[in-house]
Amino acid sequence: MAPVGLLLVGVVTAVAGLLLEAAAPASATLPRVEHPPKAGGTLAVLAVGDWGRRGQFNQTLVAQQVKMGVVGQKMDIDFVISTGDNIYDDGIANTSDPLFKESFSNIYTAKSLQKPWYLVLGNHDYTGNPLAQLDPAIRNVDSRYTAIAKSFIVNSGIADFFLIDTTPFILHYWNKTKFDWRGVSPRDTYITNQLKDLGYALTESKAAWKIVVGHHPISSGCGHGNNTELEELLLPVLKAHGVDMYVNGHDHCLQRISSRDSHLEFLTSGGGSKAWAGKFKATPDKVEFLYDGQGFMSMRLSKTEAHLAFFDVTGKALHCWGLTKNAAAGR
């Protein structure tokens, strides 16, 4: 394998080229799940990340009827987005691993949460058997759990959600033997193809809202801070294609950050269990809200409006805001 620094340079060069090639068919089409909105023309979604700890570190409290369950019921949610690190500490070994039920099925029991969960993988999922979480057999254990590929699209008419596999971007993970890179290595080819496929899918999208979901933050004021690889490789693709929101986990906090040179919002929902790290980093973007604690995020979308909120472990709304879009302009 080439030195990781050379790999990064190679992929950056490829990104510059693929921004010019977005109108051409990509090397492969990202798999899609069709999830049409309700008859009223709105879409309601919850997002939570970094949660799977057998109910420990307040995971059960975040999930309980009085928290996610009640909010989900009031909103009549369509589905849940998981921002990764679904099962700690090392994912699952196979689809019959008891950790899966202990950390998911037995925790998110509220009636309102019996909807599809669309998931990305986090770094902790990669240190187990990441392919087990993608195996269709896992839906025989719990039919909600939907990760049809490491990267895929949820088409909902009003919004397209582009779930992207960010763990392979992170260079220092490649120096650790614990990670399972089956289907990923060589890294530079995998990332280049993924970015090309994403760029093409974003170009083709006719949805009012384009929302990209990944595990790792691009811009963050919490403990992990900004991610250099994603800033250099993924961010240019998002800005070039007018993405509205990038939703991530990894940092165990809740935060909203606005880009200073585009309309892109960076939203962290990584408070599904262990939090309160007390560590912060500077970011050049504008920090609109930051909560170093546990909780989750909601969004209600129409073709012209987005209403979003962060909730803490008690179900209290901490920060609510709205975004508007000119339907004709697509902005």
Side-chain angles (χ1 to χ4, degrees):
M1 179 184 292
V4 291
L6 295 179
L7 290 176
L8 181 57
V9 171
V11 178
V12 170
T13 302
V15 170
L18 68 88
L19 288 174
L20 299 176
E21 298 172 6
S27 58
T29 302
L30 292 176
R32 296 171 183 264
V33 174
E34 298 294 333
H35 197 125
K38 291 184 283 289
T42 63
L43 185 75
V45 179
L46 298 182
V48 64
D50 303 83
W51 42 265
R53 296 181 184 271
R54 294 179 170 176
Q56 299 174 0
F57 297 98
N58 282 346
Q59 182 195 0
T60 301
L61 286 177
V62 174
Q64 274 179 352
Q65 291 275 11
V66 295
K67 285 78 176 182
M68 283 183 68
V70 165
V71 173
Q73 181 179 15
K74 289 179 178 178
M75 294 183 65
D76 186 21
I77 62 167
D78 294 274
F79 55 83
V80 179
I81 291 288
S82 173
T83 59
D85 277 359
N86 306 315
I87 311 290
Y88 284 91
D89 281 323
D90 298 303
I92 53 175
N94 50 57
T95 57
S96 57
D97 191 326
L99 269 175
F100 178 67
K101 283 189 173 181
E102 293 168 358
S103 293
F104 181 65
S105 301
N106 297 350
I107 304 298
Y108 300 100
T109 58
K111 183 178 179 180
S112 66
L113 302 182
Q114 307 308 302
K115 302 290 179 70
W117 284 55
Y118 299 119
L119 308 102
V120 294
L121 300 176
N123 49 293
H124 282 276
D125 302 308
Y126 257 98
T127 58
N129 176 6
L131 300 183
Q133 294 192 46
L134 310 181
D135 191 331
I138 203 166
R139 291 194 287 281
N140 295 329
V141 182
D142 194 311
S143 61
R144 297 175 289 172
Y145 206 81
T146 308
I148 62 170
K150 289 180 177 176
S151 296
F152 64 101
I153 304 169
V154 179
N155 292 126
S156 67
I158 294 169
D160 283 343
F161 292 80
F162 303 85
L163 283 76
I164 298 302
D165 184 24
T166 61
T167 298
F169 284 79
I170 314 305
L171 286 169
H172 71 86
Y173 292 157
W174 288 81
N175 296 324
K176 300 179 181 180
T177 58
K178 201 174 185 180
F179 283 75
D180 183 344
W181 297 122
R182 285 177 294 167
V184 176
S185 183
R187 172 187 177 272
D188 53 344
T189 301
Y190 181 81
I191 292 175
T192 298
N193 286 340
Q194 183 175 204
L195 292 173
K196 188 174 182 181
D197 295 343
L198 174 62
Y200 179 67
L202 287 167
T203 299
E204 292 294 296
S205 174
K206 306 302 181 187
W209 301 94
K210 298 179 183 181
I211 302 170
V212 175
V213 180
H215 177 61
H216 296 83
I218 296 176
S219 182
S220 174
C222 293
H224 287 104
N226 290 19
N227 184 280
T228 301
E229 294 92 336
L230 295 182
E231 283 183 305
E232 294 183 358
L233 303 175
L234 180 58
L235 182 58
V237 178
L238 306 189
K239 289 183 176 180
H241 293 90
V243 170
D244 300 288
M245 306 173 213
Y246 177 76
V247 183
N248 62 270
H250 197 54
D251 269 324
H252 298 180
C253 65
L254 306 173
Q255 63 180 333
R256 173 193 172 203
I257 295 176
S258 297
S259 169
R260 293 192 183 275
D261 60 4
S262 74
H263 71 280
L264 178 61
E265 296 224 339
F266 305 100
L267 308 176
T268 297
S269 185
S273 58
K274 189 176 182 180
W276 310 107
K279 298 178 180 179
F280 306 96
K281 297 284 181 66
T283 176
D285 297 301
K286 184 180 179 182
V287 178
E288 307 277 3
F289 170 80
L290 190 156
Y291 177 67
D292 182 34
Q294 295 149 332
F296 58 96
M297 185 179 75
S298 72
M299 57 177 71
R300 185 182 296 280
L301 306 171
S302 71
K303 287 185 177 180
T304 57
E305 296 182 347
H307 299 278
L308 303 102
F310 287 116
F311 296 85
D312 70 8
V313 72
T314 71
K316 176 184 176 183
L318 299 172
H319 179 64
C320 305
W321 74 104
L323 303 172
T324 58
K325 184 178 288 282
N326 183 315
R331 286 278 189 234

